[in-house]
Amino acid sequence: MTFKELGLSEKVLKAVTAAGYTEPTPIQAQAIPEVLARRDVMGIAQTGTGKTAAFTLPMISLSEKGRARARMPRTLILEPTRELAAQVEENFEKYAVNHKLSVALLIGGVSFEDQMRKLDRGADVLIATPGRLLDLFERGRILMTGVEILVIDEADRMLDMGFIPDIERIVKMVPFTRQTLFFSATMPPEIERLADQFLQNPVQVQVAAAATTAKTVEQKLVKAPKKDQDKRAKLRDVIDSQDNISNAIIFCNRKKDVATLHRSLMKRNYSVGSLHGDMDQTSRMKTLAGFRDNEIKFLVASDVAARGLDIPDVSHVFNFDVPIHAEDYVHRIGRCGRAGRDGWAFSLVTPADDRYLDAILKLTGDDLEWFNGEPVEADKPDTDGKPTRQRRASSAKSADKTEDKSASQAEKKPRRTRSSRKHEEPQDAVPQVEKTTAKKAEKPAEEKRRNNRKRGRDEDQDNGKTPKGMGDHMPAFLMQSTRDKG
Ligand code: ADP
Ligand code: MG
Protein backbone atom coordinates (compact mmCIF):
# COMPACT_ATOMS: atom_id res chain seq x y z
CA MET A 1 0.00 0.00 0.00
CA THR A 2 1.26 3.46 -0.83
CA PHE A 3 0.03 6.88 0.24
CA LYS A 4 -0.76 7.62 -3.37
CA GLU A 5 -3.34 4.85 -3.51
CA LEU A 6 -5.27 6.40 -0.65
CA GLY A 7 -6.58 9.30 -2.72
CA LEU A 8 -4.68 12.13 -1.06
CA SER A 9 -3.96 15.28 -3.07
CA GLU A 10 -0.62 15.84 -4.79
CA LYS A 11 0.33 18.61 -2.41
CA VAL A 12 -0.33 16.42 0.59
CA LEU A 13 1.62 13.54 -0.95
CA LYS A 14 4.58 15.84 -1.38
CA ALA A 15 4.46 16.80 2.27
CA VAL A 16 4.22 13.15 3.29
CA THR A 17 7.34 12.36 1.28
CA ALA A 18 9.10 15.34 2.80
CA ALA A 19 8.15 14.02 6.25
CA GLY A 20 10.03 10.86 5.35
CA TYR A 21 7.02 8.54 5.40
CA THR A 22 7.25 5.84 2.77
CA GLU A 23 4.26 3.71 3.66
CA PRO A 24 1.00 4.38 5.43
CA THR A 25 0.46 2.69 8.78
CA PRO A 26 -2.57 0.37 9.04
CA ILE A 27 -4.75 3.03 10.67
CA GLN A 28 -3.74 5.50 7.97
CA ALA A 29 -4.40 3.02 5.17
CA GLN A 30 -7.85 2.27 6.54
CA ALA A 31 -8.99 5.63 7.83
CA ILE A 32 -7.74 8.03 5.15
CA PRO A 33 -10.05 6.82 2.32
CA GLU A 34 -13.03 6.95 4.69
CA VAL A 35 -12.25 10.50 5.80
CA LEU A 36 -11.79 11.53 2.17
CA ALA A 37 -15.21 10.01 1.45
CA ARG A 38 -16.54 12.35 4.15
CA ARG A 39 -17.62 9.55 6.41
CA ASP A 40 -17.72 9.84 10.18
CA VAL A 41 -14.97 7.67 11.61
CA MET A 42 -14.29 5.95 14.89
CA GLY A 43 -10.60 5.08 14.59
CA ILE A 44 -8.91 2.74 17.04
CA ALA A 45 -5.23 1.83 16.79
CA GLN A 46 -2.37 1.33 19.19
CA THR A 47 -0.28 4.16 20.56
CA GLY A 48 2.39 5.50 18.26
CA THR A 49 0.93 4.15 15.02
CA GLY A 50 0.26 7.46 13.31
CA LYS A 51 -3.30 8.38 14.18
CA THR A 52 -2.53 12.10 13.89
CA ALA A 53 -1.68 11.82 10.21
CA ALA A 54 -4.65 9.49 9.76
CA PHE A 55 -6.99 12.40 10.36
CA THR A 56 -4.78 15.34 9.43
CA LEU A 57 -3.68 14.30 5.95
CA PRO A 58 -7.16 13.72 4.51
CA MET A 59 -8.39 16.83 6.28
CA ILE A 60 -5.77 18.93 4.51
CA SER A 61 -6.64 17.25 1.23
CA LEU A 62 -10.31 18.06 1.71
CA SER A 63 -9.47 21.67 2.53
CA GLU A 64 -8.43 22.16 -1.07
CA LYS A 65 -12.08 21.92 -1.94
CA GLY A 66 -14.16 24.94 -1.10
CA ARG A 67 -12.94 28.31 0.06
CA ALA A 68 -12.00 29.66 3.45
CA ARG A 69 -14.03 32.50 4.83
CA ALA A 70 -12.53 35.08 7.14
CA ARG A 71 -12.90 34.23 10.79
CA MET A 72 -14.72 31.09 9.85
CA PRO A 73 -12.71 28.02 10.66
CA ARG A 74 -13.64 24.94 8.71
CA THR A 75 -11.82 22.45 10.87
CA LEU A 76 -11.73 21.97 14.63
CA ILE A 77 -9.40 19.53 16.39
CA LEU A 78 -9.90 18.98 20.11
CA GLU A 79 -7.15 17.63 22.36
CA PRO A 80 -7.16 16.88 26.10
CA THR A 81 -3.92 18.64 27.07
CA ARG A 82 -2.13 21.79 26.02
CA GLU A 83 1.08 19.97 25.23
CA LEU A 84 -0.69 17.53 22.98
CA ALA A 85 -2.56 20.30 21.19
CA ALA A 86 0.75 22.07 20.57
CA GLN A 87 2.27 18.87 19.22
CA VAL A 88 -0.64 18.28 16.87
CA GLU A 89 -0.26 21.84 15.62
CA GLU A 90 3.38 21.11 14.81
CA ASN A 91 2.32 17.96 12.98
CA PHE A 92 -0.31 19.90 11.11
CA GLU A 93 2.16 22.54 9.99
CA LYS A 94 4.47 19.82 8.73
CA TYR A 95 1.77 18.08 6.71
CA ALA A 96 0.34 21.37 5.43
CA VAL A 97 3.62 22.95 4.28
CA ASN A 98 2.32 23.14 0.75
CA HIS A 99 -0.93 24.74 1.75
CA LYS A 100 -1.80 28.23 2.80
CA LEU A 101 -3.86 27.16 5.75
CA SER A 102 -3.84 29.32 8.80
CA VAL A 103 -3.85 27.41 12.06
CA ALA A 104 -4.78 28.79 15.46
CA LEU A 105 -3.62 26.95 18.56
CA LEU A 106 -6.11 27.73 21.31
CA ILE A 107 -4.85 26.45 24.63
CA GLY A 108 -5.08 27.61 28.21
CA GLY A 109 -2.34 28.86 30.48
CA VAL A 110 -1.05 31.36 27.94
CA SER A 111 -2.23 34.83 27.02
CA PHE A 112 -5.40 35.40 25.06
CA GLU A 113 -3.99 38.18 22.96
CA ASP A 114 -2.01 36.25 20.40
CA GLN A 115 -4.81 33.79 19.99
CA MET A 116 -7.38 36.54 19.49
CA ARG A 117 -5.21 38.31 16.99
CA LYS A 118 -4.83 35.12 15.03
CA LEU A 119 -8.57 34.52 15.09
CA ASP A 120 -9.23 38.07 13.94
CA ARG A 121 -6.98 37.59 10.98
CA GLY A 122 -8.95 34.44 10.18
CA ALA A 123 -8.01 30.86 10.95
CA ASP A 124 -8.88 27.90 8.77
CA VAL A 125 -8.03 25.34 11.40
CA LEU A 126 -8.48 25.44 15.15
CA ILE A 127 -6.50 23.11 17.36
CA ALA A 128 -7.79 23.55 20.85
CA THR A 129 -8.29 22.34 24.35
CA PRO A 130 -11.98 22.63 25.27
CA GLY A 131 -11.74 25.22 28.07
CA ARG A 132 -9.92 27.90 26.10
CA LEU A 133 -12.05 27.30 23.03
CA LEU A 134 -15.23 27.89 25.02
CA ASP A 135 -13.71 30.91 26.67
CA LEU A 136 -12.89 32.51 23.34
CA PHE A 137 -16.27 31.57 21.97
CA GLU A 138 -17.98 33.26 24.89
CA ARG A 139 -15.93 36.37 24.27
CA GLY A 140 -17.36 36.38 20.79
CA ARG A 141 -14.03 35.75 19.11
CA ILE A 142 -14.89 32.63 17.16
CA LEU A 143 -17.64 31.68 14.80
CA MET A 144 -18.01 27.96 14.52
CA THR A 145 -20.88 27.79 12.08
CA GLY A 146 -18.46 27.10 9.25
CA VAL A 147 -16.89 24.02 10.82
CA GLU A 148 -17.05 21.11 8.41
CA ILE A 149 -14.78 18.65 10.19
CA LEU A 150 -14.64 18.04 13.92
CA VAL A 151 -11.87 15.82 15.24
CA ILE A 152 -11.92 14.53 18.79
CA ASP A 153 -8.54 13.01 19.46
CA GLU A 154 -8.05 10.82 22.54
CA ALA A 155 -11.79 10.52 22.26
CA ASP A 156 -12.44 8.30 25.27
CA ARG A 157 -10.62 10.76 27.50
CA MET A 158 -12.54 13.64 25.97
CA LEU A 159 -15.87 11.97 26.67
CA ASP A 160 -14.88 11.10 30.20
CA MET A 161 -16.70 12.83 33.01
CA GLY A 162 -14.37 15.80 33.35
CA PHE A 163 -14.73 16.90 29.76
CA ILE A 164 -18.11 15.76 28.60
CA PRO A 165 -20.11 18.91 29.48
CA ASP A 166 -17.64 21.02 27.48
CA ILE A 167 -17.71 18.63 24.57
CA GLU A 168 -21.49 18.65 24.52
CA ARG A 169 -21.48 22.43 24.40
CA ILE A 170 -18.89 22.58 21.66
CA VAL A 171 -20.70 20.03 19.56
CA LYS A 172 -23.83 22.19 19.73
CA MET A 173 -21.88 25.14 18.35
CA VAL A 174 -20.78 23.39 15.20
CA PRO A 175 -23.17 22.50 12.40
CA PHE A 176 -25.09 19.29 12.60
CA THR A 177 -23.95 18.49 9.08
CA ARG A 178 -20.29 18.36 10.04
CA GLN A 179 -18.07 15.32 9.59
CA THR A 180 -16.92 13.89 12.93
CA LEU A 181 -13.76 11.87 13.53
CA PHE A 182 -12.91 10.13 16.79
CA PHE A 183 -9.52 8.58 17.47
CA SER A 184 -7.94 6.74 20.38
CA ALA A 185 -6.00 3.67 21.41
CA THR A 186 -8.56 2.88 24.07
CA MET A 187 -12.34 2.97 23.94
CA PRO A 188 -14.26 1.52 26.87
CA PRO A 189 -17.64 0.20 25.69
CA GLU A 190 -19.65 2.64 27.78
CA ILE A 191 -17.74 5.57 26.34
CA GLU A 192 -18.18 4.18 22.86
CA ARG A 193 -21.94 4.21 23.38
CA LEU A 194 -21.68 7.85 24.37
CA ALA A 195 -19.51 8.56 21.35
CA ASP A 196 -22.14 7.12 19.05
CA GLN A 197 -24.40 10.02 19.92
CA PHE A 198 -21.97 12.39 18.26
CA LEU A 199 -21.38 10.34 15.15
CA GLN A 200 -23.61 9.75 12.16
CA ASN A 201 -23.45 6.37 10.59
CA PRO A 202 -19.76 6.07 11.43
CA VAL A 203 -17.33 3.58 10.02
CA GLN A 204 -15.36 1.71 12.63
CA VAL A 205 -11.76 1.69 11.60
CA GLN A 206 -10.10 -0.58 14.04
CA VAL A 207 -6.71 -2.13 13.36
CA ALA A 208 -6.49 -3.81 16.73
CA ALA A 209 -8.85 -4.42 19.60
CA ALA A 210 -9.21 -1.28 21.68
CA ALA A 211 -6.71 -1.10 24.54
CA THR A 212 -4.18 -3.27 22.74
CA THR A 213 -0.77 -2.16 23.92
CA ALA A 214 1.91 -1.15 21.42
CA LYS A 215 3.56 -4.30 20.11
CA THR A 216 6.95 -2.70 20.27
CA VAL A 217 6.95 -2.19 24.01
CA GLU A 218 8.44 -4.85 26.25
CA GLN A 219 6.62 -4.77 29.54
CA LYS A 220 7.95 -5.82 32.90
CA LEU A 221 6.59 -5.83 36.42
CA VAL A 222 8.80 -5.04 39.37
CA LYS A 223 7.93 -6.21 42.82
CA ALA A 224 8.21 -3.12 44.97
CA PRO A 225 7.99 -2.34 48.67
CA LYS A 226 5.14 -0.22 49.91
CA LYS A 227 7.15 2.32 51.87
CA ASP A 228 7.81 5.36 49.69
CA GLN A 229 11.47 5.65 50.49
CA ASP A 230 12.11 1.98 49.74
CA LYS A 231 10.03 2.21 46.61
CA ARG A 232 12.12 5.11 45.36
CA ALA A 233 15.26 3.08 46.04
CA LYS A 234 13.77 0.21 44.08
CA LEU A 235 13.04 2.51 41.19
CA ARG A 236 16.64 3.69 41.15
CA ASP A 237 17.82 0.09 41.18
CA VAL A 238 15.73 -0.69 38.13
CA ILE A 239 16.80 2.48 36.34
CA ASP A 240 20.45 1.80 37.07
CA SER A 241 20.12 -1.76 35.82
CA GLN A 242 19.17 -0.51 32.35
CA ASP A 243 22.04 0.53 30.17
CA ASN A 244 20.02 1.47 27.12
CA ILE A 245 17.91 4.35 28.41
CA SER A 246 17.97 7.31 26.09
CA ASN A 247 15.08 9.17 27.70
CA ALA A 248 12.45 8.00 30.14
CA ILE A 249 9.16 9.15 31.58
CA ILE A 250 8.42 8.15 35.16
CA PHE A 251 4.72 8.28 35.97
CA CYS A 252 3.29 8.86 39.43
CA ASN A 253 -0.39 8.78 40.32
CA ARG A 254 -0.24 11.86 42.49
CA LYS A 255 1.18 15.28 41.87
CA LYS A 256 2.77 15.43 45.30
CA ASP A 257 4.65 12.24 44.53
CA VAL A 258 5.82 13.73 41.24
CA ALA A 259 7.39 16.55 43.22
CA THR A 260 8.89 14.28 45.87
CA LEU A 261 10.35 11.84 43.40
CA HIS A 262 11.70 14.69 41.28
CA ARG A 263 13.51 16.15 44.29
CA SER A 264 14.80 12.76 45.35
CA LEU A 265 16.25 11.96 41.92
CA MET A 266 17.70 15.42 41.58
CA LYS A 267 19.46 15.06 44.91
CA ARG A 268 21.10 11.94 43.53
CA ASN A 269 22.26 13.72 40.41
CA TYR A 270 19.93 12.21 37.88
CA SER A 271 19.15 14.51 34.98
CA VAL A 272 15.51 15.07 35.79
CA GLY A 273 12.55 17.38 35.27
CA SER A 274 8.92 17.21 36.28
CA LEU A 275 5.56 17.81 34.66
CA HIS A 276 2.14 18.00 36.24
CA GLY A 277 -1.00 20.03 35.92
CA ASP A 278 -0.43 22.35 38.87
CA MET A 279 2.68 23.82 37.30
CA ASP A 280 2.42 27.09 35.44
CA GLN A 281 2.34 26.74 31.70
CA THR A 282 5.70 28.36 31.12
CA SER A 283 7.42 25.79 33.33
CA ARG A 284 5.45 23.00 31.69
CA MET A 285 6.54 24.03 28.24
CA LYS A 286 10.11 24.68 29.29
CA THR A 287 10.45 21.29 30.94
CA LEU A 288 8.91 19.46 28.02
CA ALA A 289 11.12 21.31 25.55
CA GLY A 290 14.18 20.40 27.65
CA PHE A 291 13.09 16.80 27.64
CA ARG A 292 12.49 16.77 23.88
CA ASP A 293 15.89 18.34 23.30
CA ASN A 294 17.63 15.75 25.47
CA GLU A 295 18.70 18.28 28.05
CA ILE A 296 16.70 16.28 30.57
CA LYS A 297 16.91 12.51 30.60
CA PHE A 298 14.16 11.63 33.08
CA LEU A 299 10.77 13.27 33.17
CA VAL A 300 8.75 12.60 36.31
CA ALA A 301 5.14 13.22 35.36
CA SER A 302 1.51 12.83 36.23
CA ASP A 303 -1.01 11.50 33.75
CA VAL A 304 -1.00 14.89 32.08
CA ALA A 305 1.84 13.36 30.05
CA ALA A 306 0.13 10.01 29.54
CA ARG A 307 -1.78 10.79 26.38
CA GLY A 308 -0.52 11.42 22.91
CA LEU A 309 2.94 12.90 23.48
CA ASP A 310 5.28 11.78 20.74
CA ILE A 311 8.91 12.07 21.77
CA PRO A 312 10.93 9.64 19.68
CA ASP A 313 13.84 9.39 22.11
CA VAL A 314 11.72 8.02 24.93
CA SER A 315 13.04 4.49 25.25
CA HIS A 316 11.63 3.70 28.68
CA VAL A 317 8.53 4.29 30.73
CA PHE A 318 8.57 3.64 34.45
CA ASN A 319 5.33 3.45 36.35
CA PHE A 320 6.38 4.47 39.81
CA ASP A 321 2.74 3.77 40.64
CA VAL A 322 0.45 1.31 38.92
CA PRO A 323 -2.23 3.52 37.36
CA ILE A 324 -5.68 3.33 38.89
CA HIS A 325 -7.44 3.38 35.54
CA ALA A 326 -6.31 0.55 33.35
CA GLU A 327 -6.61 2.64 30.16
CA ASP A 328 -3.99 5.00 31.54
CA TYR A 329 -1.55 2.11 31.58
CA VAL A 330 -1.96 1.60 27.83
CA HIS A 331 -1.37 5.29 27.19
CA ARG A 332 1.51 5.70 29.63
CA ILE A 333 3.56 2.84 28.23
CA GLY A 334 2.65 4.07 24.77
CA ARG A 335 4.95 7.06 25.27
CA CYS A 336 7.78 4.73 24.24
CA GLY A 337 7.99 2.24 21.42
CA ARG A 338 6.54 4.72 18.93
CA ALA A 339 6.57 4.48 15.14
CA GLY A 340 8.09 1.02 15.20
CA ARG A 341 10.85 1.81 17.68
CA ASP A 342 11.55 -0.45 20.61
CA GLY A 343 10.44 0.54 24.07
CA TRP A 344 10.62 -0.83 27.58
CA ALA A 345 8.06 -0.31 30.30
CA PHE A 346 8.60 -1.16 33.95
CA SER A 347 5.83 -0.98 36.51
CA LEU A 348 6.52 -1.00 40.22
CA VAL A 349 3.91 -3.18 41.86
CA THR A 350 3.31 -3.15 45.60
CA PRO A 351 1.04 -5.65 47.32
CA ALA A 352 -1.63 -2.95 47.45
CA ASP A 353 -1.71 -2.78 43.66
CA ASP A 354 -3.09 -6.24 43.02
CA ARG A 355 -6.48 -5.15 41.87
CA TYR A 356 -5.17 -2.46 39.55
CA LEU A 357 -2.72 -4.86 38.05
CA ASP A 358 -5.51 -7.32 37.59
CA ALA A 359 -7.59 -4.72 35.76
CA ILE A 360 -4.66 -3.92 33.47
CA LEU A 361 -4.12 -7.58 32.64
CA LYS A 362 -7.78 -8.03 31.87
CA LEU A 363 -7.98 -4.89 29.77
CA THR A 364 -4.90 -5.48 27.69
CA GLY A 365 -4.88 -9.27 27.61
CA ASP A 366 -1.09 -9.07 27.90
CA ASP A 367 1.19 -11.48 29.72
CA LEU A 368 3.46 -9.46 31.92
CA GLU A 369 6.67 -10.90 33.21
CA TRP A 370 8.31 -10.04 36.46
CA PHE A 371 11.61 -8.28 36.18
CA ASN A 372 14.52 -10.48 37.24
CA GLY A 373 12.09 -13.30 37.59
CA GLU A 374 10.59 -11.85 40.73
CA PRO A 375 8.70 -13.32 42.35
CA VAL A 376 9.55 -16.50 40.54
CA GLU A 377 10.91 -18.28 43.54
CA ALA A 378 7.54 -17.99 45.18
CA ASP A 379 5.91 -19.87 42.40
CA LYS A 380 8.07 -22.92 42.36
CA PRO A 381 7.34 -25.74 44.76
CA ASP A 382 9.46 -24.84 47.68
CA THR A 383 12.40 -27.12 48.14
CA ASP A 384 13.46 -26.03 51.57
CA GLY A 385 10.04 -26.13 53.03
CA LYS A 386 9.53 -22.39 53.44
CA PRO A 387 6.03 -21.21 52.78
CA THR A 388 5.56 -19.74 49.35
CA ARG A 389 4.80 -16.10 49.11
CA GLN A 390 1.21 -15.32 48.59
CA ARG A 391 -0.13 -12.25 46.99
CA ARG A 392 -2.60 -10.44 49.11
CA ALA A 393 -5.73 -8.74 48.04
CA SER A 394 -5.54 -5.50 49.87
CA SER A 395 -7.27 -2.24 50.20
CA ALA A 396 -6.74 0.32 47.54
CA LYS A 397 -4.82 3.46 47.69
CA SER A 398 -6.55 6.33 46.09
CA ALA A 399 -5.29 8.82 43.63
CA ASP A 400 -5.38 12.52 44.21
CA LYS A 401 -8.87 13.80 44.25
CA THR A 402 -7.70 16.90 42.52
CA GLU A 403 -6.97 16.42 38.88
CA ASP A 404 -4.27 17.89 36.82
CA LYS A 405 -5.43 21.20 35.61
CA SER A 406 -4.61 21.57 32.06
CA ALA A 407 -5.96 23.59 29.26
CA SER A 408 -9.59 23.55 30.03
CA GLN A 409 -11.89 24.29 32.82
CA ALA A 410 -12.99 20.74 32.44
CA GLU A 411 -9.64 19.53 33.53
CA LYS A 412 -10.10 21.23 36.84
CA LYS A 413 -13.13 19.16 37.54
CA PRO A 414 -12.67 15.79 39.08
CA ARG A 415 -12.33 13.16 36.51
CA ARG A 416 -14.93 10.49 36.21
CA THR A 417 -14.36 8.09 38.98
CA ARG A 418 -15.15 5.13 36.78
CA SER A 419 -18.67 4.93 38.09
CA SER A 420 -18.54 5.44 41.77
CA ARG A 421 -15.17 4.28 42.86
CA LYS A 422 -16.73 2.59 45.85
CA HIS A 423 -18.68 0.29 43.63
CA GLU A 424 -15.53 -0.57 41.91
CA GLU A 425 -14.09 -2.25 44.94
CA PRO A 426 -14.10 -5.88 44.01
CA GLN A 427 -16.45 -7.61 46.34
CA ASP A 428 -14.68 -10.84 45.82
CA ALA A 429 -11.19 -10.87 47.15
CA VAL A 430 -8.41 -11.42 44.67
CA PRO A 431 -7.71 -15.11 44.80
CA GLN A 432 -4.73 -15.99 46.90
CA VAL A 433 -2.56 -17.37 44.21
CA GLU A 434 1.04 -17.01 43.45
CA LYS A 435 2.01 -15.61 40.13
CA THR A 436 5.29 -15.69 38.39
CA THR A 437 4.11 -14.13 35.27
CA ALA A 438 1.01 -12.17 35.78
CA LYS A 439 -0.51 -14.00 32.93
CA LYS A 440 -3.89 -13.97 31.34
CA ALA A 441 -5.27 -16.18 28.69
CA GLU A 442 -5.17 -14.88 25.16
CA LYS A 443 -7.77 -12.51 23.87
CA PRO A 444 -10.66 -12.03 22.86
CA ALA A 445 -9.85 -8.75 24.48
CA GLU A 446 -13.34 -7.46 24.07
CA GLU A 447 -14.65 -10.08 26.40
CA LYS A 448 -11.95 -9.36 28.93
CA ARG A 449 -12.65 -5.71 28.72
CA ARG A 450 -16.30 -6.32 29.34
CA ASN A 451 -15.61 -8.52 32.30
CA ASN A 452 -13.20 -6.01 33.62
CA ARG A 453 -15.75 -3.27 33.49
CA LYS A 454 -18.60 -5.36 34.72
CA ARG A 455 -16.74 -5.66 37.94
CA GLY A 456 -16.81 -1.98 38.40
CA ARG A 457 -19.86 -0.75 36.63
CA ASP A 458 -23.31 -1.89 37.31
CA GLU A 459 -24.58 -0.03 34.28
CA ASP A 460 -22.16 -1.83 32.04
CA GLN A 461 -23.89 -4.22 29.78
CA ASP A 462 -22.78 -6.40 27.04
CA ASN A 463 -22.97 -4.49 23.82
CA GLY A 464 -19.69 -5.93 22.72
CA LYS A 465 -18.80 -5.42 19.16
CA THR A 466 -16.39 -7.93 17.83
CA PRO A 467 -13.15 -6.15 17.16
CA LYS A 468 -11.84 -6.34 13.68
CA GLY A 469 -8.58 -8.15 13.43
CA MET A 470 -5.24 -6.61 12.92
CA GLY A 471 -4.89 -5.26 9.41
CA ASP A 472 -3.32 -7.78 7.09
CA HIS A 473 -0.55 -5.54 6.13
CA MET A 474 2.01 -4.06 8.46
CA PRO A 475 4.51 -1.58 7.13
CA ALA A 476 8.05 -2.71 7.67
CA PHE A 477 8.90 0.14 10.00
CA LEU A 478 6.26 -1.00 12.45
CA MET A 479 7.56 -4.53 12.39
CA GLN A 480 11.25 -4.11 12.58
CA SER A 481 12.90 -4.82 15.84
CA THR A 482 16.21 -3.32 16.73
CA ARG A 483 16.16 -4.96 20.10
CA ASP A 484 18.50 -7.75 19.19
CA LYS A 485 20.88 -5.61 17.25
CA GLY A 486 22.63 -4.66 20.41
P1 ADP B 1 -0.59 8.03 17.62
O1 ADP B 1 -1.46 9.24 17.59
O2 ADP B 1 -1.18 6.86 16.91
O3 ADP B 1 -0.13 7.67 19.00
P2 ADP B 1 1.30 9.73 16.22
O4 ADP B 1 0.33 10.29 15.26
O5 ADP B 1 1.72 10.61 17.34
O6 ADP B 1 0.75 8.34 16.82
O7 ADP B 1 2.56 9.21 15.40
C1 ADP B 1 3.62 8.55 16.02
C2 ADP B 1 4.91 8.78 15.25
O8 ADP B 1 4.86 8.07 14.02
C3 ADP B 1 5.14 10.24 14.90
O9 ADP B 1 6.48 10.55 15.22
C4 ADP B 1 4.94 10.30 13.41
O10 ADP B 1 5.78 11.24 12.81
C5 ADP B 1 5.29 8.90 12.96
N1 ADP B 1 4.57 8.45 11.75
C6 ADP B 1 3.27 8.63 11.48
N2 ADP B 1 2.93 8.06 10.30
C7 ADP B 1 4.06 7.50 9.81
C8 ADP B 1 4.36 6.78 8.61
N3 ADP B 1 3.42 6.49 7.72
N4 ADP B 1 5.64 6.36 8.43
C9 ADP B 1 6.59 6.65 9.35
N5 ADP B 1 6.37 7.32 10.50
C10 ADP B 1 5.12 7.75 10.74
MG1 MG C 1 -2.25 10.53 19.00
Side-chain angles (χ1 to χ4, degrees), residues 109-166:
V110 291
S111 92
F112 278 90
E113 270 169 38
D114 290 349
Q115 296 175 4
M116 293 205 257
R117 212 172 309 126
K118 194 137 207 188
L119 289 169
D120 288 346
R121 282 203 305 262
D124 305 296
V125 178
L126 307 179
I127 302 177
T129 49
R132 180 56 64 95
L133 181 79
L134 284 168
D135 221 331
L136 285 160
F137 183 83
E138 274 154 17
R139 292 169 192 224
R141 311 304 291 221
I142 321 173
L143 278 172
M144 291 208 273
T145 48
V147 170
E148 291 162 12
I149 304 178
L150 169 67
V151 180
I152 304 193
D153 195 14
E154 305 294 348
D156 56 327
R157 175 74 182 101
M158 299 298 269
L159 299 181
D160 209 331
M161 198 79 108
F163 277 117
I164 188 70
D166 285 359

Side-chain angles (χ1 to χ4, degrees), residues 51-52 153-154 308 338:
K51 291 186 287 294
T52 318
D153 195 14
E154 305 294 348
R338 302 182 66 74

Side-chain angles (χ1 to χ4, degrees), residues 216 340-342 476-485:
T216 47
R341 289 179 191 81
D342 286 330
F477 85 89
L478 283 182
M479 301 281 287
Q480 82 205 2
S481 170
T482 52
R483 191 166 282 140
D484 44 10
K485 287 181 197 150

